[in-house]
Amino acid sequence: MQVNPQQLLDDGYIILREVIPPGQLDDLRNCYETLVERQKVIWAQERKPDGPPGGYWETAAQPRVFFDGVADETTAKAVEFCLHENTLGVSRQVMQAPEASPTLMALMCSPVRDHGPASWHRDIDPVGQAPLRGMQMDVLENAPGYVQWNIPLYDDSVFWVVPKSHRRPNTEAENRHLVTKGREPIPGGMPVELKAGDGIVYTHMMLHWGSNYSAKLRRTVHLGYRAFGGPVYPMVNHFYWHPDFTKRMPPGTREQFAHFSQLHEDECDVVEMTFRAILDKNAEGFRNGLATLHPGEAWRMVCVVYLSKLVQKTRTLKQPDVASLSLAERVDAISEHQLNFYLFEDFSRRFSLEEADLLWSRFRALYDKIQEEIERSVPNLESRQARYMLTDMPANFDVEDFIASW
Ligand SMILES: [Fe+2]
């Protein structure tokens, strides 16, 4: 399957027909339904004392079944579909990268009873990641480092998008709409009409909407992919799966995931080298590391901002008062997810507490500048929409200024 990467950069998405080859549809439906049944048993076992018998399956607006949690050799197809030319292969094409890996492999399911519309949103957080314009320009002038997919097993038009909204911040009218009628159709928004087996690949920076979480049967494969070796450092650069799940996979599939883990590990080596160059005030080493992580020359500073967040998390995890907390509290301390937390903790082991503190102080000028932008532009940090208002990268502060700030 051949796609034009420019189409995703222009519109924010590409709709593709028959991503699931028609001859495989029935088989995959059965396979994914087996995973749903297995997950339902787990959710029932995990139900809260005061919850319904089915637990999360009965309470969630959009229950999500993670394949890596429940797939085994008999249902390996569910995972192997994520490695198909039509999914992984197309993701590589649109990200203009020699390699890519699934970050997230899940099935979005209809709820047991109607939950109605969700809210319009972008799947990004400029405060926690990087100012919105920076994230957008980095993609537009280089390539996406991360893409998402929806591939319904049954006809599906729940998902709506605002085409081209990935290229710009929210308009005033959109901000008002999000606050006053966030669960209603938005001017410029359109439903994505997909037949069973079709797919949409998109950048999750785009404004989008789950228009109706009704009880009508919905089984839609939801995937994320990150690039390796593309022009940018991906804005999502961790996995929501743990390699242990591949012990239940056939050898060929297990090897592919081992390869993805190795690519991640290799990238962590480069990040560590880059951080050590910063610790040593080795400007040339830092420039080289940065150019390896983000070969595209434009908007390299966005990569530095992403790295600064990793430094913050690393430093937090090294603090003795955090290190002694429970797993759930440590996850919370760095605002991460239980599923990807191990990667951050593994990375933090590369540094001592003293190194992490010193590294953090080297980023201090950058943190302060971003903090100024947050105070200038974000009226309420508690509001998801207000956090999109952090749009501008620090003015007059590029890579060389960052180096000078050490
Ligand atoms: Fe979303």
Side-chain angles (χ1 to χ4, degrees):
M1 193 174 269
Q2 285 296 313
V3 298
N4 174 10
Q6 190 59 40
Q7 197 183 336
L8 189 132
L9 291 180
D10 289 346
D11 297 337
Y13 65 94
I14 306 175
I15 292 173
L16 297 161
R17 301 300 169 194
E18 298 184 354
V19 174
I20 301 177
Q24 294 179 25
L25 185 58
D26 272 345
D27 219 20
L28 272 179
R29 279 176 174 167
N30 290 332
C31 176
Y32 286 119
E33 212 52 37
T34 303
L35 300 191
V36 172
E37 290 308 318
R38 285 183 192 164
Q39 185 64 59
K40 279 162 72 174
V41 172
I42 296 170
W43 280 331
Q45 287 164 349
E46 291 174 347
R47 73 182 179 275
K48 306 233 166 70
D50 53 346
Y56 187 72
W57 175 254
E58 287 190 59
T59 56
Q62 190 214 66
R64 286 188 181 192
V65 177
F66 283 76
F67 310 156
D68 43 293
V70 280
D72 59 14
E73 291 235 19
T74 66
T75 47
K77 272 192 210 81
V79 172
E80 285 159 0
F81 174 64
C82 311
L83 308 177
H84 194 278
E85 259 320 294
N86 291 358
T87 52
L88 177 66
V90 169
S91 300
R92 265 196 310 257
Q93 285 181 52
V94 294
M95 295 191 288
Q96 301 167 50
E99 303 243 36
S101 160
T103 56
L104 162 87
M105 303 173 287
L107 189 71
M108 303 189 290
C109 299
S110 40
V112 176
R113 64 188 78 74
D114 283 357
H115 282 253
S119 299
W120 283 94
H121 64 277
R122 304 173 187 263
D123 283 354
I124 48 163
D125 173 28
V127 173
Q129 295 176 287
L132 184 64
R133 281 305 285 171
M135 294 176 93
Q136 292 177 328
M137 295 310 293
D138 190 35
V139 167
L140 295 174
E141 294 198 5
N142 294 292
Y146 173 77
V147 289
Q148 251 169 230
W149 288 78
N150 291 352
I151 306 164
L153 303 174
Y154 303 91
D155 297 0
D156 187 340
S157 56
V158 171
F159 186 64
W160 286 49
V161 298
V162 177
K164 301 186 191 291
S165 56
H166 67 298
R167 307 181 65 92
R168 55 167 181 79
N170 289 1
T171 62
E172 291 267 332
E174 284 167 347
N175 278 331
R176 265 197 312 277
H177 186 100
L178 262 53
V179 173
T180 56
K181 39 192 171 178
R183 295 169 191 273
E184 295 173 26
I186 201 169
M190 59 161 234
V192 176
E193 309 269 0
L194 298 174
K195 293 278 174 215
D198 293 347
I200 178 171
V201 55
Y202 59 97
T203 164
H204 69 333
M205 293 193 293
M206 181 175 54
L207 268 172
H208 61 268
W209 185 39
S211 63
N212 190 8
Y213 292 152
S214 81
K216 182 188 164 204
L217 179 67
R218 187 178 193 224
R219 296 282 185 268
T220 294
V221 175
H222 183 57
L223 306 174
Y225 292 88
R226 61 149 297 173
F228 285 100
V232 301
Y233 183 73
M235 62 180 79
V236 175
N237 49 42
H238 46 253
F239 307 135
Y240 289 99
W241 47 264
H242 189 285
D244 280 356
F245 95 90
T246 63
K247 289 179 186 154
R248 307 188 305 267
M249 289 290 115
T253 306
R254 192 181 317 144
E255 277 160 29
Q256 288 194 67
F257 278 88
H259 176 62
F260 300 144
S261 292
Q262 188 59 52
L263 288 172
H264 177 85
E265 206 54 24
D266 294 347
E267 183 180 78
C268 288
D269 290 346
V270 178
V271 174
E272 181 185 343
M273 257 165 40
T274 309
F275 286 174
R276 294 207 176 279
I278 296 172
L279 285 171
D280 298 341
K281 298 194 178 184
N282 169 359
E284 205 41 37
F286 168 67
R287 288 190 198 99
N288 290 338
L290 184 60
T292 306
L293 295 168
H294 190 291
E297 283 180 30
W299 298 94
R300 251 180 211 164
M301 194 59 201
V302 176
C303 174
V304 179
V305 176
Y306 292 148
L307 293 176
S308 76
K309 308 297 178 174
L310 178 60
V311 168
Q312 269 176 330
K313 288 176 186 186
T314 303
R315 179 186 185 232
T316 301
L317 291 173
K318 299 304 291 188
Q319 301 308 307
D321 57 329
V322 174
S324 61
L325 296 173
S326 71
L327 175 64
E329 289 166 325
R330 297 202 305 283
V331 171
D332 209 41
I334 61 164
S335 308
E336 275 303 335
H337 200 286
Q338 196 112 22
L339 295 172
N340 64 11
F341 179 73
Y342 75 99
L343 293 167
F344 292 95
E345 198 145 71
D346 284 354
F347 184 79
S348 75
R349 294 205 181 93
R350 293 170 179 253
F351 297 92
S352 68
L353 171 61
E354 292 71 26
E355 287 171 334
D357 282 339
L358 181 59
L359 191 53
W360 184 86
S361 71
R362 296 267 196 272
F363 281 84
R364 187 60 201 259
L366 176 59
Y367 294 138
D368 288 348
K369 290 201 173 283
I370 289 188
Q371 192 54 38
E372 276 169 37
E373 280 299 320
I374 291 172
E375 280 161 22
R376 193 177 65 80
S377 52
V378 182
N380 175 10
L381 278 171
E382 303 300 309
S383 150
R384 189 175 187 181
Q385 289 93 340
R387 292 166 77 100
Y388 303 148
M389 291 176 173
L390 176 63
T391 56
D392 293 353
M393 293 285 286
N396 305 316
F397 197 73
D398 214 326
V399 174
E400 292 306 313
D401 304 293
F402 171 65
I403 293 170
S405 77
W406 303 341

